[in-house]
Amino acid sequence: MIELHGQGVSRGIALGPIRRYERQQPAVEPVPIADIEGELARLEAAREKASAQLETLYQDTLGSLGEANALLFQIHQMMLEDPDFCDSMEQHIRDESVCAPYAVQEAGQEAAAAFAAMDDAYMQARSADVLDVSARLIRILTGRDEETLDFASPAILAADDLAPSETARLDRSKVLAFVTAGGSSNSHTAIFARTMGIPAVVGLGEALEQLTAGCEAAVDGSTGEVILEPDADTHALFLDRQDALRNEDALAEAYRGKASRTKDGHSIELCANVGGPGDVDAALEGDAEGIGLFRSEFLYLQRSDYPDEETQFAAYKDVLQRMGGKRVVIRTLDIGADKQADYFQLPHEENPAMGLRAIRICLTRPEVFRTQLRALYRASVYGKLAIMFPMITHPREVRQIKTIAAQVRDELTAEGIPFSPDVELGIMIETPAAALLSRELAREVDFFSVGTNDLTQYTLALDRQNSAVAQFDDPDHTAVLSLIHMAAQNAHAEGIWIGICGELGGDPSLTETFLRMGIDELSMSPASILRIRAKVCVIEAL
Ligand code: PEP
Ligand code: MG
């Protein structure tokens, strides 16, 4: 028996034989060509064919896995059309007089290296996407078919890494789990695995080499354990864990459509955290009562320039319409620290988590802030919108924000553009200062939402990006819980509601504690909602 550890990124237990998947993409040699224009035309034809294939993949995935996952293939289509990528392929052909497949290979590797070198984990994960797109082009140019991923019988799939298009082609009934050497919880392999409900462990590194085809393995997608040739006791232990999870899911499913209420009648709203319009289907599928946190940064991160008002308006309108009157809390941009977009040209900082981020950027670049607020207010007539501001430390900032918001409303009125008069304005409680000043802050706004990820980071002086200090993290830390309790009391004393949208909101071990504090709303990953509702509904009395 050999025990390996990776990062568990998709909950679930699997027991079964290993199947290895080696991507057969031999390196392409630089074959010299004489007819440069002919080679460019060949590349153009291949791009068109790749685009058509991606459109089919988009439509198929839309039907089977929903918009959140299908969206990826639109991103691949955009990469195919990206002017820098196209120029780079063309330049290799023109400058080096080499064949198109070689030019694609080189341009793809250069673009992938550029993504991999970025600070933001989301952008780093896009490196696999650009390699996937160039592999597709090379296959078309060299006349090779896609390697089949058909399994004769169910197995645990072990691969160096899985490209998103490979993951989407897998037969769910045959793949017991994914185990990969590379990847991160932000990679699309992980995102697809969670949506497909397939257990997954990523980041095993070189240890993956020990997984030979045919050997038996046990995988726990929560703990990240991968056990090779498990002995009888381990096998039984994993079967017990599997039973426990299945029971938990079956019990939770019974709460679909039910009210989130304790037996003695205390209600709480259970909402979803989403990263963009693509996640709205998952929120509805998870039976969310609303969206408690829409991280609007996605609109800013995947681009080379600021998104304009129309782009933002379309995204917000889409989400509000699809949530059909349920409340959608959209957080204004939270760029900075771990979320960087080059075009913001933020200065290098010694302590970026305590630097120019979130509302501090909005208040120092009011034109960026105004564009977002205009788009939000314009979208407000399409549903029930609440706007939330991150990283607040002082009531003065809130007053400044409210002045800008009032100016934006006046501008829209003067232009005859309609907006809802009922848009709630709220703030995140994610700094100790905000919790300590919550009584005064509560007089300024309509609601609070506690960002426990940052509140924990700033209260415990524990960098959330630094895995070396993860062992000092403590979700039950009295200091953090006391600050949340204080904010809840102050919110209610001033007659406003308070939610929790950090990761602790979906932690079942704290659900009862939060109910006792009087928290009005919990927002979490869509897949956690039914399990937390099950937890709420069995509480006898508070
Ligand atoms: C938080 O800090 O808890 C939060 C929800 O915001 P983010 O994780 O996006 O910083
Ligand atoms: Mg935060």
Side-chain angles (χ1 to χ4, degrees):
M1 186 166 96
I2 302 175
E3 291 179 29
L4 308 175
H5 284 271
Q7 191 185 359
V9 294
S10 178
R11 170 184 175 275
I13 302 290
L15 289 149
I18 294 286
R19 190 193 138 158
R20 291 291 303 229
Y21 171 62
E22 315 288 351
R23 200 171 298 139
Q24 285 163 5
Q25 174 105 319
V28 185
E29 296 300 321
V31 179
I33 45 123
D35 178 7
I36 289 188
E37 294 311 320
E39 202 61 7
L40 287 173
R42 209 161 78 81
L43 175 62
E44 187 49 31
R47 279 204 320 123
E48 277 168 24
K49 186 163 178 191
S51 184
Q53 286 181 351
L54 287 165
E55 182 58 32
T56 308
L57 265 171
Y58 171 76
Q59 295 299 344
D60 290 353
T61 312
L62 192 65
S64 58
L65 285 173
E67 174 140 19
N69 293 299
L71 204 65
L72 173 70
F73 299 111
Q74 285 190 332
I75 295 175
H76 280 201
Q77 278 176 309
M78 278 156 59
M79 283 179 168
L80 258 185
E81 281 153 28
D82 179 74
D84 289 342
F85 184 46
C86 292
D87 284 354
S88 166
M89 292 188 288
E90 184 177 333
Q91 236 165 22
H92 278 289
I93 295 177
R94 285 195 189 282
D95 298 354
E96 298 159 40
S97 303
V98 285
C99 62
Y102 182 76
V104 174
Q105 173 182 275
E106 297 303 291
Q109 282 170 2
E110 285 155 17
F115 275 118
M118 291 184 186
D119 286 339
D120 177 62
Y122 179 89
M123 296 311 278
Q124 286 170 0
R126 301 291 69 77
S127 151
D129 291 315
V130 78
L131 288 176
D132 198 9
V133 170
S134 35
R136 176 174 302 283
L137 275 174
I138 294 172
R139 275 196 305 272
I140 294 171
L141 285 161
T142 53
R144 281 185 298 111
D145 288 335
E146 296 201 62
E147 213 228 330
T148 171
L149 275 162
D150 287 347
F151 287 24
S153 55
I156 295 167
L157 183 69
D160 278 347
D161 210 345
L162 278 174
S165 59
E166 292 165 328
T167 317
R169 283 196 344 262
L170 292 172
D171 176 351
R172 254 185 267 203
S173 64
K174 298 281 172 52
V175 181
L176 299 171
F178 301 123
V179 182
T180 62
S184 68
S185 64
N186 256 336
S187 65
H188 271 100
T189 305
I191 296 169
F192 274 32
R194 285 196 284 270
T195 312
M196 295 164 100
I198 297 177
V201 174
V202 301
L204 273 176
E206 286 176 7
L208 187 93
E209 291 316 311
Q210 302 183 52
L211 304 183
T212 42
C215 74
E216 289 293 316
V219 175
D220 187 329
S222 301
T223 62
E225 289 166 280
V226 178
I227 317 286
L228 282 183
E229 303 296 357
D231 59 22
D233 285 350
T234 309
H235 198 267
L237 173 75
F238 273 65
L239 280 180
D240 283 350
R241 288 190 197 173
Q242 196 170 46
D243 279 350
L245 288 184
R246 282 187 182 148
N247 284 340
E248 210 181 292
D249 287 346
L251 285 173
E253 198 49 43
Y255 292 90
R256 183 175 290 282
K258 300 262 162 62
S260 308
R261 194 163 43 226
T262 62
K263 292 199 167 159
D264 63 340
H266 287 85
S267 292
I268 190 159
E269 218 174 308
L270 300 183
C271 298
N273 289 351
V274 299
D279 294 335
V280 174
D281 287 345
L284 293 169
E285 170 63 21
D287 208 20
E289 294 162 46
I291 288 180
L293 170 63
F294 177 105
R295 289 179 162 99
S296 71
E297 329 44 284
F298 89 95
L299 275 166
Y300 296 80
L301 287 175
Q302 296 164 29
R303 317 176 48 91
S304 52
D305 203 353
Y306 295 100
D308 63 15
E309 186 180 315
E310 285 312 309
T311 307
Q312 296 196 52
F313 167 68
Y316 305 144
K317 173 182 167 188
D318 180 37
V319 176
L320 285 161
Q321 280 182 323
R322 282 197 287 147
M323 287 309 289
K326 291 178 176 168
R327 180 163 54 211
V328 177
V329 180
I330 300 185
R331 172 174 78 185
T332 56
L333 82 112
D334 189 5
I335 291 280
D338 55 319
K339 297 174 207 155
Q340 293 286 338
D342 288 348
Y343 61 89
F344 271 81
Q345 296 187 333
L346 296 175
H348 174 76
E349 295 173 310
E350 284 300 315
N351 290 302
M354 293 191 273
L356 198 55
R357 59 168 293 204
I359 202 66
R360 298 172 182 178
I361 295 183
C362 290
L363 293 177
T364 47
R365 299 186 188 187
E367 65 294 348
V368 175
F369 194 33
R370 272 172 203 281
T371 304
Q372 182 167 33
L373 288 174
R374 275 183 65 97
L376 283 165
Y377 274 111
R378 279 177 56 199
S380 66
V381 290
Y382 295 96
K384 187 172 178 193
L385 173 68
I387 307 176
M388 175 160 80
F389 305 98
M391 273 291 285
I392 298 296
T393 57
H394 199 282
R396 181 181 55 237
E397 292 158 346
V398 182
R399 289 192 278 271
Q400 246 176 301
I401 291 166
K402 283 166 63 184
T403 305
I404 298 173
Q407 288 165 350
V408 165
R409 289 194 301 268
D410 288 347
E411 245 170 59
L412 293 174
T413 306
E415 291 168 35
I417 298 175
F419 58 87
S420 163
D422 301 319
V423 177
E424 291 176 292
L425 296 184
I427 57 167
M428 293 192 72
I429 301 290
E430 52 183 353
T431 63
L436 292 165
L437 297 184
S438 50
R439 185 72 187 248
E440 201 180 330
L441 286 165
R443 291 187 202 116
E444 299 286 349
V445 292
D446 302 310
F447 69 96
F448 286 160
S449 185
V450 185
T452 54
N453 310 334
D454 277 316
L455 186 61
T456 305
Q457 153 163 279
Y458 296 125
T459 307
L460 306 185
L462 210 59
D463 181 355
R464 62 192 271 198
Q465 295 298 113
N466 184 351
S467 56
V469 293
Q471 58 179 310
F472 298 101
D473 192 8
D474 173 6
D476 292 329
H477 202 295
T478 317
V480 177
L481 294 180
S482 300
L483 289 173
I484 299 175
H485 195 194
M486 176 188 286
Q489 286 175 321
N490 285 331
H492 292 157
E494 295 296 336
I496 66 167
W497 63 270
I498 177 167
I500 294 181
C501 63
E503 288 305 302
L504 295 190
D507 181 340
S509 71
L510 288 170
T511 308
E512 188 163 345
T513 306
F514 291 147
L515 273 157
R516 284 185 198 287
M517 287 182 188
I519 298 294
D520 303 289
E521 178 238 40
L522 293 173
S523 195
M524 61 201 76
S525 73
S528 303
I529 292 173
L530 288 178
R531 286 198 291 275
I532 296 292
R533 185 175 298 147
K535 188 92 196 168
V536 172
C537 292
V538 297
I539 294 173
E540 292 287 343
L542 286 184

